[in-house]
Amino acid sequence: MMKSLKLYFTLLVSALFLALPAQAQDVEAATEQLVQATETLVTESLEAAAVAIETAAETIEAEAEPVAAQPAATKSTQGRDNADIDQNFSVGTALKKFVSDTGFKGFADDWRFAVMILVAFVLLYLAIVKKFEPLLSMPIAFGMLLTNLPGAGMYHAEFFAGGHVHWENFALGSAGLLDYLYLGVKLGIYPCLIFVGVGAMTDFGPLIANPKSLLLGAAAQIGIFATFLGALALGFNYWEAGSIGIIGGADGPTAIYLTSKLAPHLLGPIAVAAYSYMALVPVIQPPIMKALTTEKERKIEMKQLRTVSQKEKIIFPIIITVIIALLLPSAAPLIGCLMLGNLMKECGVTERLSKTVQNELMNIVTIFLGISVGATATAESFLNWQTLGILALGIIAFSFGSASGVLLAKFMNLFSKEKINPLIGSAGVSAVPMAARVSQSVGQQYNPGNFLLMHAMGPNVAGVIGSAVAAGILLSFLPL
């Protein structure tokens, strides 16, 4: 059409220039020819425009078909006529629809909803009454309650099927509240933000003062890889086995981060197992510690640790971040966030930021993380034999981790002049600071004048680093 218009104006200008020197009859003849040419061009242009409009209309109609096929909830109700309802309204039909839409009918259709709600009630009881890791186990339990209310539609596991986010479902507007909140888990945002807060609350001074305790923290991660092999023997695949094994690190955010990458369908059972065993540290560890040590070893007194300068505390997180990120890039998100939070605490110039990540940020993210993880504990993913296997392997992983640290401490005493109390080896699991307090408590049962808390904090904080490194190793070896 544009070509036709250009040709039209060209002919018009040419005709004017040709007509000026001509006589009157020549002007009249030229004008008649110009009118005929103009009529021909206009006719051709209109025909071309009609074809273009028809093609565009067909395209718009084809694109509109998927929109028309969307659920009625996504359509606009603006301008709709009440007559649509008035003409077809029936009290009996309305009541029947109301009854069918209630959640009570869901219990009749699938009894597993009721079982999962009872499980949520039990976890709420343990969190509120027994105080088992209440800051996170309570939101997890409530998220489990919300996702198993029939008909609520707050979480849709199919939106994340196959380990991927199906964004097209979100575009249709059919996603629930917990679907949106779960994106923070799926994309690895919440665990990393939790690690910023953990870093800001962690003192690496005992580890810097006694670098040997880093070995004890590393030894405690043996439970992760031992359980990995055990899970493979029970029929789990590599990705599921890696997610189950990380429970042995006794680090909830790391377990959630790794499982959301490797085996998101197991996130609910693994999170429940990880935080349950973290809460049971005072119950699980003492028998293992006593079984692997003699009374003489439990009475060993350790010298007071040296004072660590502020400069050392500032340099430490920077150096650790660089070294681990270069050696194991897959661990960089967790380690980087952990050390960022610690640097905020130790540098002395970002006190306001440090307090924010320790309190407001940590608390907000904990709420979102707990509810989102609890939402994945649907009846389909939780009520199966796999869950029992995960719970059993989780306690094995945790026990192996605790025992490995104790045994390495005993082995180090064979070559060390300054003896290490083996009880601090069990603190290598990263349940900070609970595992260190258990070491202190058991030690004082046999020697009331023995103060092991600060010594145990060394392997305890080393375990936080160790579990993040172990997660990075599993991520690097298992293709996503």
Side-chain angles (χ1 to χ4, degrees):
M1 184 174 179
M2 291 300 297
K3 290 182 178 180
S4 301
L5 291 174
K6 288 181 180 179
L7 180 60
Y8 168 73
F9 284 111
T10 302
L11 291 173
L12 178 61
V13 174
S14 300
L16 289 173
F17 277 103
L18 290 173
L20 286 176
Q23 296 179 355
Q25 62 270 23
D26 295 332
V27 172
E28 184 178 354
T31 302
E32 185 177 350
Q33 293 177 0
L34 179 60
V35 170
Q36 292 177 355
T38 301
E39 290 177 352
T40 302
L41 288 174
V42 169
T43 302
E44 293 177 353
S45 300
L46 290 175
E47 291 177 354
V51 172
I53 292 172
E54 184 178 356
T55 303
E58 292 176 354
T59 303
I60 293 172
E61 184 178 356
E63 293 179 350
E65 288 179 358
V67 176
Q70 292 180 16
T74 64
K75 295 181 179 179
S76 174
T77 57
Q78 184 177 1
R80 293 185 65 178
D81 192 353
N82 291 340
D84 294 342
I85 294 180
D86 294 339
Q87 293 176 357
N88 301 313
F89 180 77
S90 167
V91 175
T93 303
L95 290 176
K96 184 177 180 181
K97 184 179 184 302
F98 174 78
V99 172
S100 64
D101 288 344
T102 62
F104 295 105
K105 186 177 183 298
F107 290 126
D109 293 338
D110 193 342
W111 57 269
R112 294 179 300 175
F113 286 123
V115 175
M116 288 304 302
I117 289 177
L118 289 177
V119 172
F121 287 163
V122 171
L123 292 178
L124 286 171
Y125 171 80
L126 293 175
I128 298 172
V129 179
K130 298 298 182 181
K131 297 180 174 57
F132 281 5
E133 289 290 326
L135 295 182
L136 197 54
S137 58
M138 194 278 285
I140 288 177
F142 205 82
M144 186 183 298
L145 173 65
L146 292 176
T147 199
N148 286 288
L149 291 173
M154 301 187 72
Y155 175 77
H156 302 81
E158 60 272 18
F159 287 12
F160 309 94
H164 305 287
V165 180
H166 296 276
W167 296 104
E168 64 274 11
N169 293 316
F170 288 88
L172 294 175
S174 55
L177 172 63
L178 299 183
D179 292 317
Y180 290 104
L181 292 181
Y182 180 68
L183 289 173
V185 176
K186 184 60 186 173
L187 301 177
I189 298 172
Y190 296 155
C192 291
L193 292 179
I194 290 287
F195 256 53
V196 176
V198 171
M201 293 187 289
T202 300
D203 181 11
F204 287 107
L207 176 59
I208 300 172
N210 184 16
K212 291 186 295 184
S213 59
L214 184 64
L215 298 175
L216 299 177
Q221 311 312 314
I222 291 176
I224 294 175
F225 299 99
T227 307
F228 173 79
L229 298 176
L232 289 177
L234 290 180
F236 290 95
N237 62 36
Y238 289 116
W239 297 267
E240 293 170 340
S243 300
I244 295 170
I246 202 66
I247 297 174
D251 191 333
T254 302
I256 292 171
Y257 180 82
L258 183 67
T259 305
S260 67
K261 302 289 185 183
L262 298 182
H265 58 286
L266 298 181
L267 185 57
I270 287 177
V272 170
Y275 282 101
S276 297
Y277 295 141
M278 286 173 62
L280 292 173
V281 165
V283 177
I284 298 172
Q285 283 195 328
I288 298 172
M289 297 160 67
K290 294 175 182 179
L292 297 177
T293 58
T294 65
E295 186 173 345
K296 182 180 179 180
E297 288 173 328
R298 296 174 212 139
K299 292 181 178 180
I300 293 176
E301 294 187 12
M302 301 177 66
K303 293 182 179 179
Q304 185 176 356
L305 296 173
R306 69 175 180 86
T307 302
V308 179
S309 67
Q310 184 183 16
K311 183 182 293 185
E312 290 177 292
K313 291 184 176 182
I314 293 174
I315 294 174
F316 179 80
I318 299 173
I319 296 298
I320 291 295
T321 301
V322 172
I323 293 175
I324 293 181
L326 291 177
L327 290 176
L328 199 62
S330 54
L334 291 176
I335 291 295
C337 290
L338 177 69
M339 295 304 165
L340 170 63
N342 186 251
L343 185 61
M344 289 179 182
K345 171 180 179 289
E346 302 295 354
C347 68
V349 295
T350 56
E351 183 179 357
R352 189 173 66 181
L353 296 180
S354 177
K355 289 182 178 179
T356 298
V357 298
Q358 289 182 50
N359 298 288
E360 290 83 0
L361 179 64
M362 187 79 162
N363 292 335
I364 292 171
V365 176
T366 298
I367 294 171
F368 290 163
L369 178 66
I371 294 176
S372 303
V373 170
T376 64
T378 59
E380 293 79 8
S381 65
F382 202 88
L383 294 180
N384 51 57
W385 291 108
Q386 274 192 335
T387 300
L388 295 178
I390 290 170
L391 294 174
L393 289 168
I395 190 67
I396 293 173
F398 195 82
S399 301
F400 263 90
S402 302
S404 299
V406 174
L407 293 175
L408 181 63
K410 290 166 67 73
F411 180 74
M412 291 171 65
N413 281 340
L414 299 177
F415 309 97
S416 177
K417 293 182 180 179
E418 296 183 1
K419 301 301 181 181
I420 301 172
N421 191 315
L423 294 178
I424 71 171
S426 64
V429 296
S430 57
V432 181
M434 193 180 301
R437 290 174 179 167
V438 171
S439 298
Q440 163 78 2
S441 175
V442 175
Q444 285 200 326
Q445 290 178 13
Y446 296 90
N447 183 356
N450 201 1
F451 296 95
L452 298 174
L453 182 61
M454 293 310 296
H455 296 283
M457 283 301 298
N460 205 187
V461 297
V464 179
I465 300 174
S467 63
V469 170
I473 292 173
L474 291 170
L475 283 173
S476 64
F477 279 93
L478 298 174
L480 299 179

